[in-house]
Amino acid sequence: MIQELAEPAQGCRARFVAFYSDIDHLVVPGRNARLDHPDLNVQNIAAHGVGHLSMPSNGRIAFTIAQALRELHPDGTPGTP
């Protein structure tokens, strides 16, 4: 199943925002929280000094998610970051 994640994803129009941290004790190593795929529109954001369980209540992360949602087109397709 993990191998499927590396398969081509041409035509995927979704926009992904992934946060990763240098002190995440649940996703180890932290870089495993990144989404790196050549066919996907991904914005990987380092959340330095923010633990895994603190991410949902982090203001910068919440603002970035809200901004990504605001950029959606009326039909739900992703806008540009």
Side-chain angles (χ1 to χ4, degrees), residues 4-63:
E4 292 177 18
L5 297 174
E7 292 180 6
Q10 297 163 338
C12 179
R13 296 177 14 199
R15 177 177 169 210
F16 298 88
V17 180
F19 296 90
Y20 63 98
S21 175
D22 54 343
I23 63 167
D24 191 330
H25 298 292
L26 296 179
V27 179
V28 179
R31 70 179 176 272
N32 285 346
R34 293 177 51 92
L35 181 56
D36 295 307
H37 193 289
D39 294 334
L40 301 179
N41 178 4
V42 179
Q43 181 181 8
N44 288 300
I45 301 172
H48 297 292
V50 181
H52 188 90
L53 298 177
S54 299
M55 286 187 183
S57 61
N58 180 277
R60 185 177 80 106
I61 291 174
F63 177 81

Side-chain angles (χ1 to χ4, degrees), residues 5 8 30 70-71:
L5 297 174
R70 273 194 312 271
E71 292 171 355

